[in-house]
Amino acid sequence: MEPWIRAVILVACLFPALVECRVRHYKFNVVMRNKSRLCSTKSIVTVNGQFPGPTLYAREGDTVLVKVVNHVKYNVSIHWHGIRQLRTGWADGPAYITQCPIQPSQNYVYNFTITGQRGTLLWHAHILWLRATVHGALVILPKLGVPYPFPKPHSEVVVILAEWWKSDTEAVINEALKSGLAPNVSDAHTINGHPGPVSACSSQAGFTLSVQSGKAYMLRLINAALNEELFFKIAGHKLTVVEVDATYVKPFKIDTIVIAPGQTTNVIVSANQNSGKYSLSASPFMDSPIAVDNVTATATLHYSGTLSSSPTTFATPPPKNATAIANNFIDSLKSLNSKKYPAQVPIKVDHSLLFAVGLGINPCPSCKAGNGSRVVASVNNVTFVMPTTALLQAHIFNIKGVFTTDFPGNPPNPFNYTGAAPTNLSTKNGTKVYRLAYNDTVQVVLQDTGIIAPENHPVHLHGFNFFAVGKGLGNYDAKKDPKKFNLVDPVERNTIGVPSGGWVAIRFRADNPGVWFLHCHLEVHTTWGLKMAFLVDNGKGPKESVLPPPKDLPKC
C-alpha cells in the first residue's frame, strides 16, 4: 500500500463519524507545559500539551491502540475509566494493580477492544495526583447505522469539569502526607479547562458553547475533578438526561444534575430561547462538614446573533449541602431496560458482601502537625498498601508475597456505622484482595461510616459495570432493606456515590477474569487507603481467561 494511502486511512480512522475502521490508533506524548489560570502561570503535566487532554473517538466493537510516551520526570500510567477491558486487564492502567508504571523516557501501547459499550467515558492518569491535569474524554459512538434510542441531536459537545490548584498538586499531597492532615482544597473549578471570571481574576474568559435557536445539543458531561462532586446547571434551560457512565437511561428532564469524580452524564439541551447568553455553572456538592473549594466555575451558552456585549442570564448554584437536589437527580436514574438494551440484573447472589468505607486515624510519630497521628481511610478496617509489583503480574506469574486473598467480606468488628464513632479509630494495613470464581454473582453493600465525619464516597469498580439496586440512610438492614431493592430497571454504572451517613447496594457478575481495583474516586481518599481489589479466576478455556501479557508491558 502506498504510504500516502496509509496516511489517509489513518487520519480518517481518527474520525469515526466519517468512516468505519476496526482499529483506532492514537499517540499520547506526556509532556510538561506552562498554563495560565487565575492570573498566574505554572508548569503542568499534559498529554500532547493539552489541558484537558485530547478526546479519543471510537465506535462500539473497535480495537483501540494508544501509544503512551513518557517525557516527564514522573512515572505515568493511563486508565480508560469505564472500559470493561474484557480479558485485557494489562490495558486497564492503575499503577501497581494491573501494570507497573511507564517510567521516564519509556513507552507502552494500551491495546483494548470496546465490547458491548457505547457512550461517554473518560481517560485519566492513575498514579500520584497526575489526574489533576492528565485527563480527557473517551467518546464511543454506536456501530455505523445504529441510531441513538432518542432523537439525534443537531450537535454534540464534550464538557469536562475539573479542578485547578495554583500550586503544584504533587507538592500539595506530599505536604499533606508529611503533616498527616488533609490536603489544601483546589483554588477553582473549571469547565473545559477554564474557571471563567472569578473574584481573584475577573479578566479571564471562560468556555463558550455556541448554539442556534431551535436546535438540540447533546452535552457529554465528565467530572474529572480530583476531590469534588459537582452540581451542573444551565440558566433558563432544562436538561434531558439520556445516559450515565456510557449506559442509556430512561430519559427525564431536570434543572440540575450532580456528577461525582469519574462519572459521566449525557444530557440534551434544547436551544428554546430566541437569543441571549446564559451561564453554565459547576459548583460543589458536599453535605458534610468538610472543607471544599467553594468557587463556582462558569461558562456561557451563546445564541447565534446575540451581541457579545449583551448581558448574561446567570444560574443560581444550589447550596453546597443541597442533598435533596442531588437525590432528585440520583433517584430519577433508571436503566432503559428495552429489548435491545436489557438490564441483566443478577437475581441470585453467590457473594453477599458488606464493605464499611470511611476514615480512621493511625499513629505517625513524624506527623508533627497531626500531633503524632495521621488521617487514613479504609474498607472493612483495612487500609490498602500499594505493592511494588503489580497485582495482576503477581497473580498471573504466581509471584508470592505480593498480596493475600483474605480481604474480609464483612467488617471484622461490627459497630453502629452511622452513629457514635468507636473508641478505637485505628485501622490495619494490608495488601489484600477478595477472590471470586469466574461468573460468580456479587452483591456489595457499601456502607458509609461516621468515623471523623460521614461523607459521600464516589466508589469506582474497574473491569465491570454494576447495577445500583438500592440505597438508604443509616445502617444497612440485611433483613428489611433487600425487600425494597429495584431488580427490574436499576441504573447501571461504573462509579456510584455512597450517601453521606448511608449505604448503597450494587450487583455485578464476575465475568471478566483478572485483578480489578475498587476504590473511592476522591483522590485524597484513594491516597489514604480507601481501596481494595477483586481477583477473578479464569473460567474454562481461553475465551474465559486473561490474555497473555504484551511484550512491552512496563517493568517495575
Side-chain angles (χ1 to χ4, degrees):
M1 184 185 294
E2 293 290 335
W4 70 270
I5 297 176
R6 185 179 289 111
V8 168
I9 292 174
L10 178 58
V11 171
C13 284
L14 298 179
F15 298 93
L18 305 176
V19 67
E20 182 163 32
C21 291
R22 293 184 177 178
V23 181
R24 311 273 171 191
H25 293 267
Y26 287 93
K27 186 173 182 181
F28 278 14
N29 284 306
V30 182
V31 294
M32 302 299 298
R33 284 291 185 274
N34 286 338
K35 298 291 179 180
S36 296
R37 301 290 187 274
L38 304 179
C39 292
S40 64
T41 302
K42 71 171 184 175
S43 184
I44 63 171
V45 184
T46 70
V47 167
N48 298 348
Q50 301 176 40
F51 171 73
T55 297
L56 266 64
Y57 287 94
R59 287 193 179 277
E60 179 184 350
D62 285 353
T63 293
V64 178
L65 286 87
V66 186
K67 183 176 183 179
V68 177
V69 185
N70 185 4
H71 298 283
V72 301
K73 66 180 181 180
Y74 303 104
N75 287 344
V76 168
S77 72
I78 303 292
H79 171 49
W80 316 96
H81 184 113
I83 293 291
R84 292 254 359 240
Q85 297 291 1
L86 291 167
R87 302 171 54 229
T88 54
W90 308 110
D92 191 40
Y96 300 107
I97 303 299
T98 57
Q99 67 166 95
C100 297
I102 307 166
Q103 297 178 34
S105 302
Q106 301 298 307
N107 62 78
Y108 178 47
V109 176
Y110 290 91
N111 182 347
F112 56 89
T113 298
I114 300 169
T115 305
Q117 292 183 275
R118 79 295 303 165
T120 305
L121 295 171
L122 70 154
W123 59 264
H124 60 79
H126 212 303
I127 186 170
L128 306 172
W129 272 32
L130 299 186
R131 174 161 65 93
T133 56
V134 180
H135 60 251
L138 176 50
V139 174
I140 309 167
L141 299 172
K143 293 180 179 180
L144 273 178
V146 176
Y148 294 130
F150 48 82
K152 190 175 191 290
H154 169 70
S155 183
E156 302 179 10
V157 181
V158 169
V159 178
I160 300 179
L161 314 178
E163 291 178 273
W164 183 267
W165 278 259
K166 288 184 178 181
S167 303
D168 176 3
T169 49
E170 294 308 311
V172 169
I173 184 56
N174 289 338
E175 177 58 32
L177 292 174
K178 182 180 176 182
S179 70
L181 302 177
N184 292 338
V185 299
S186 55
D187 296 295
H189 297 106
T190 58
I191 299 176
N192 280 351
H194 298 280
V198 296
S199 59
C201 183
S202 59
S203 63
Q204 63 188 4
F207 168 70
T208 297
L209 171 62
S210 298
V211 300
Q212 298 177 41
S213 183
K215 304 286 189 182
Y217 297 81
M218 182 158 74
L219 307 186
R220 296 179 176 271
L221 298 167
I222 296 168
N223 186 347
L226 281 190
N227 295 313
E228 305 274 355
E229 298 194 59
L230 296 169
F231 287 119
F232 177 86
K233 65 188 300 186
I234 302 177
H237 294 74
K238 291 274 192 181
L239 308 174
T240 300
V241 181
V242 294
E243 176 206 303
V244 295
D245 291 3
T247 60
Y248 296 130
V249 297
K250 291 182 173 71
F252 63 94
K253 289 188 176 182
I254 201 163
D255 291 313
T256 307
I257 74 161
V258 67
I259 183 167
Q263 290 183 335
T264 63
T265 304
N266 283 7
V267 298
I268 306 291
V269 180
S270 294
N272 52 16
Q273 308 296 317
N274 290 327
S275 63
K277 291 160 59 181
Y278 299 83
S279 75
L280 290 67
S281 68
S283 61
F285 167 51
M286 172 54 73
D287 56 357
S288 293
I290 299 204
V292 294
D293 171 2
N294 214 19
V295 178
T296 297
T298 57
T300 304
L301 185 149
H302 189 130
Y303 279 80
S304 62
T306 301
L307 296 175
S308 59
S309 59
S310 298
T312 300
T313 301
F314 284 95
T316 301
K320 67 180 180 182
N321 62 349
T323 308
I325 292 177
N327 282 338
N328 185 36
F329 170 74
I330 295 166
D331 295 342
S332 299
L333 295 170
K334 300 284 188 292
S335 283
L336 197 57
N337 195 25
S338 63
K339 186 175 181 180
K340 187 165 187 177
Y341 304 104
Q344 297 175 320
V345 188
I347 304 301
K348 172 182 162 289
V349 172
D350 297 317
H351 299 260
S352 186
L353 311 175
L354 177 65
F355 285 1
V357 298
L359 307 183
I361 297 176
N362 281 351
C364 175
S366 65
C367 297
K368 294 180 181 178
N371 293 321
S373 61
R374 72 162 65 251
V375 180
V376 294
S378 67
V379 182
N380 280 352
N381 208 48
V382 178
T383 294
F384 190 89
V385 177
M386 294 298 282
T388 54
T389 299
L391 297 183
L392 184 58
Q393 287 172 285
H395 167 54
I396 295 298
F397 299 120
N398 199 26
I399 302 171
K400 303 297 184 184
V402 176
F403 65 87
T404 59
T405 56
D406 57 345
F407 186 87
N410 288 276
N413 300 299
F415 61 98
N416 181 4
Y417 306 113
T418 55
T423 54
N424 185 358
L425 303 183
S426 64
T427 68
K428 289 185 169 29
N429 294 330
T431 308
K432 301 173 182 289
V433 305
Y434 189 93
R435 194 163 203 153
L436 298 167
Y438 183 85
N439 230 26
D440 278 353
T441 54
V442 185
Q443 175 179 293
V444 183
V445 174
L446 296 159
Q447 171 73 61
D448 183 35
T449 61
I451 299 175
I452 301 182
E455 190 172 349
N456 191 311
H457 299 276
V459 173
H460 172 47
L461 175 60
H462 291 227
F464 301 94
N465 280 357
F466 52 74
F467 292 95
V469 297
K471 75 181 181 75
L473 291 177
N475 297 333
Y476 173 70
D477 188 319
K479 291 184 179 179
K480 295 180 180 178
D481 288 325
K483 295 175 183 176
K484 297 176 283 187
F485 282 1
N486 176 6
L487 302 178
V488 177
D489 61 353
V491 66
E492 185 178 351
R493 307 210 71 151
N494 61 59
T495 305
I496 191 76
V498 182
S500 178
W503 56 271
V504 66
I506 65 173
R507 289 188 180 185
F508 66 96
R509 181 176 296 278
D511 57 358
N512 193 8
V515 178
W516 305 107
F517 212 16
L518 179 141
H519 62 96
C520 183
H521 222 268
L522 302 180
E523 200 64 37
V524 60
H525 289 173
T526 298
T527 302
W528 283 345
L530 206 164
K531 46 196 174 183
M532 58 82 64
F534 286 103
L535 189 162
V536 180
D537 285 318
N538 287 338
K540 298 177 181 177
K543 291 187 177 180
E544 295 181 359
S545 301
V546 178
L547 289 170
K551 293 180 180 179
D552 64 338
L553 187 70
K555 294 180 171 58
C556 287

